[in-house]
Amino acid sequence: MMDRNFDDLAERFAQNIYGTLKGRIRQIILWEELDQLLATFPNEPLSILDAGGGIGQISSGLAQRGHQITLCDVSEQMLIRAKQHAQEQGVASQMTFIQTSAQQVGTQLEKPVDIVLFHAVLEWVAEPEKTLAALFDTLSPGGVLSLMF
């Protein structure tokens, strides 16, 4: 098995997953969890990696709250949509976009991050354990990996 690239499904994801009631409910629940997580950190801008961040709704919301975001995805089409979304939300200057896998993103980061988001991606990677280990290696001491599977 190889990691799944969603270039061919970017439009379908945007409409049939993120744009549905189910998608909105998923985001509401996720934001409740993220708000609790963010409250455990000092009230200052955090460095956040969104690994496999798709079209970037969560990342853009975190950037709106003042955090610095790095969003990586293997899908060029997802990154195009994430950049568009960030521009529409006025937060593109707080975000960095990298076309790479979650396993390789650590080699492209300048410094460790406070939080790694890895939401609805683990089920699409060929080697889940190695991927999680690589993401844990990107965390600063006391950092947190937010995993949704």
Side-chain angles (χ1 to χ4, degrees), residues 4-7 72-76 79 98-102:
R4 180 67 162 99
N5 181 320
F6 287 97
D7 272 345
C72 78
D73 205 295
V74 295
S75 169
E76 179 182 18
L79 284 177
I98 303 172
Q99 185 176 1
T100 192
S101 68

Side-chain angles (χ1 to χ4, degrees), residues 9-20:
L9 294 174
E11 179 63 27
R12 185 173 173 194
F13 265 60
Q15 291 181 1
N16 296 343
I17 295 179
Y18 301 123
T20 64

Side-chain angles (χ1 to χ4, degrees), residues 82-149:
K83 288 176 187 177
Q84 273 183 314
H85 185 72
Q87 289 170 347
E88 291 167 3
Q89 299 300 309
V91 295
S93 65
Q94 291 171 247
M95 297 180 69
T96 302
F97 302 90
I98 303 172
Q99 185 176 1
T100 192
S101 68
Q103 301 90 324
Q104 297 297 315
V105 71
T107 64
Q108 298 185 45
L109 297 176
E110 293 179 19
K111 62 180 184 159
V113 298
D114 300 306
I115 298 174
V116 172
L117 306 178
F118 198 51
H119 299 157
V121 182
L122 188 65
E123 59 267 37
W124 301 107
V125 298
E127 298 180 297
E129 297 87 1
K130 287 183 181 180
T131 303
L132 288 173
L135 290 173
F136 274 113
D137 286 345
T138 69
L139 287 168
S140 60
V144 175
L145 184 137
S146 172
L147 176 65
M148 182 175 68
F149 177 73

